[in-house]
Amino acid sequence: MSRYWSAVTHGLTPYAPGEQPGLDNLIKLNTNENPYGPSPMAIKAICAAAADSLRLYPDPDAKALKAALAARHATSQAHIFVGNGSDEVLAHAFLGLLKHDLPLWMPDITYSFYPVYCGLYGIDFRRIPLADGFALRAEDYLPRDGERAGGIVFPNPNAPTGRLLPRAEVERIAAANPDAVVLIDEAYIDFADDDASAIALIDRHPNLLVVQTFSKSRALAGLRVGFAIGHPELIAGLDRIKNSFNSYPLGRLALVGAIAAVQDEVWFQESRRKIIVTRAMLTARLRELGFIVPPSSANFVFARHPAHDAGEIAAALRQRAIIVRHFKTPGIEQYLRITVGTDEQSATLIAALREILQTARPGTENE
Ligand SMILES: *Cc1c(COP(=O)(O)O)cnc(C)c1O
């Protein structure tokens, strides 16, 4: 608290990101980073761009990156918005497209940054309960009893549950809410089946905005690049916000790195495939240890042990230099969100869990 803060600052509840400890030899499975690293072509492009031209501002419209993304996703530059990480793209969308008199609808268990943006921008929102096993039901997002949404937002696959809503169900929601923007945050979509993305629907639904990131499947969390694809009217709205906030959200290094990453389809497919394979193995091993693990379409799994407290397991893992994410949020406080690492990291994790479960006295909290 400070008397120098504005009333807005006093009223904020900021997002708490997963920790980034500076320790080496840590198995870091807490923030869904990609263990395989970025495309070597991206690194090469970034190194080559670390040159005298850095004295010049970057292209404020990021045209070359938009052209690469347009080619990759079979659309046009007018359908694309890019930002400094998808968190920035989301923030602009909350202010520019989702803030209306009617409340914004979102799942009750979802990316915890959404309520933070609502707090920052004064957006009224409503939490829609998930069904059993954290399933998101399209029915719950259709207008009913004369009630409509001012906007709709959810990640698909959802975070931190990993559950995927089939594309046909996403389309049902978009079609039933033509007057509201439906924002699908596809941070993890590249770890789902090939035809899961809602990008294929944007030509039919001008209210649909799809947001993706380079942080997970393209292993460029440190570069900060995200993008949105949707009808040019939505993109123009985002541009108005962006150009009222920061003309150059992406620097020269981010632009060239992202372009090279988009163009390296081979590296992308390879790393995504490895993670999908490891996820299946990790899920099976966790279930053998007695964990309850809903099916995940993301690069993490969400797991609960019926006989052991999640906080205690997380603490015991930490003592063994393995960090996972434990949310103390009511309803999911007995779950751990575990990033899918390499096969070797997964094996180390499973061995540590086996030891922890054997030595710990089973609790009763969670039975
Ligand atoms: C990681 C994540 C993001 C943010 O990604 P950045 O592009 O790194 O800002 C957005 N949404 C969800 C659901 C995420 O998990």
Side-chain angles (χ1 to χ4, degrees):
M1 295 290 174
S2 162
R3 66 196 171 97
Y4 299 115
W5 291 0
S6 67
V8 171
T9 307
H10 274 287
L12 294 177
T13 310
Y15 177 75
E19 61 172 327
Q20 297 291 350
L23 306 172
D24 290 336
N25 304 321
L26 204 69
I27 298 189
K28 191 173 175 303
L29 305 176
N30 67 329
T31 52
N32 301 339
E33 287 139 337
N34 188 322
Y36 296 112
S39 155
M41 279 155 69
I43 295 171
K44 216 171 131 195
I46 292 165
C47 291
D52 176 67
S53 56
L54 283 176
R55 67 193 175 76
L56 302 171
Y57 282 106
D59 173 11
D61 300 318
K63 288 185 287 291
L65 175 55
K66 287 182 187 173
L69 285 167
R72 172 67 172 67
H73 294 285
T75 185
S76 83
Q77 286 186 47
H79 290 79
I80 299 177
F81 178 81
V82 297
N84 189 267
S86 63
D87 283 339
E88 184 184 79
V89 177
L90 290 168
H92 289 346
F94 270 68
L95 180 60
L97 303 172
L98 300 176
K99 178 179 160 93
H100 294 284
D101 293 338
L102 289 169
L104 171 64
W105 293 3
M106 67 179 76
D108 61 344
I109 296 167
T110 195
Y111 187 31
S112 47
F113 221 134
Y114 299 158
V116 174
Y117 296 132
C118 290
L120 175 62
Y121 294 127
I123 302 169
D124 188 17
F125 68 101
R126 180 202 288 187
R127 299 175 192 270
I128 313 272
L130 294 174
D132 286 349
F134 304 118
L136 191 149
R137 281 183 311 214
E139 296 89 276
D140 296 337
Y141 293 82
L142 311 184
R144 57 175 183 276
D145 311 327
E147 279 192 302
R148 288 189 296 120
I152 293 172
V153 62
F154 58 87
N156 197 35
N158 196 10
T161 67
R163 297 294 314 263
L164 180 77
L165 186 69
R167 187 164 72 194
E169 298 294 289
V170 173
E171 180 155 36
R172 248 177 101 197
I173 295 172
N177 294 276
D179 298 327
V181 169
V182 176
L183 192 164
I184 311 297
D185 177 356
E186 294 190 339
Y188 301 103
I189 200 74
D190 295 324
F191 304 108
D193 293 339
D194 276 335
D195 56 356
S197 173
I199 289 177
L201 307 174
I202 58 155
D203 287 336
R204 294 206 292 279
H205 300 283
N207 59 325
L208 186 61
L209 188 75
V210 179
V211 173
Q212 293 192 1
T213 176
F214 283 70
S215 297
K216 277 79 183 230
S217 57
R218 296 192 186 271
L220 285 167
L223 200 61
R224 311 306 303 133
V225 185
F227 61 98
I229 300 191
H231 190 281
E233 267 180 41
L234 302 183
I235 302 305
L238 293 173
D239 276 329
R240 285 172 76 90
I241 300 283
K242 172 243 170 198
N243 289 322
S244 307
F245 180 80
N246 180 0
S247 306
Y248 309 103
L250 294 186
R252 287 174 171 274
L253 304 185
L255 289 170
V256 296
I259 291 166
V262 176
Q263 291 171 343
D264 194 349
E265 189 69 19
V266 174
W267 182 269
F268 169 72
Q269 293 296 350
E270 177 73 359
S271 105
R272 125 177 220 252
R273 191 191 56 76
K274 284 189 281 197
I275 288 165
I276 291 170
V277 169
T278 306
R279 178 182 68 208
M281 203 183 63
L282 178 63
T283 302
R285 294 290 100 80
L286 286 169
R287 286 178 180 159
E288 284 165 16
L289 291 179
F291 282 91
I292 291 160
V293 191
S296 169
S297 295
N299 69 336
F300 56 83
V301 297
F302 202 48
R304 163 176 90 85
H305 200 288
H308 294 269
D309 180 72
E312 287 173 17
I313 297 175
L317 284 172
R318 170 176 290 272
Q319 285 177 350
R320 291 162 171 81
I322 301 172
I323 45 179
V324 300
R325 193 90 194 259
H326 176 225
F327 297 93
K328 294 186 178 88
T329 318
I332 56 170
E333 71 276 16
Q334 284 306 332
Y335 280 83
L336 297 173
R337 193 197 65 189
I338 305 170
T339 302
V340 177
T342 61
D343 283 343
E344 196 192 345
Q345 290 174 326
S346 295
T348 307
L349 169 76
I350 292 294
L353 284 171
R354 184 170 293 121
E355 212 179 277
I356 291 164
L357 299 185
Q358 272 166 6
T359 53
R361 200 159 43 88
T364 48
E365 305 85 353
N366 199 22
E367 280 174 338

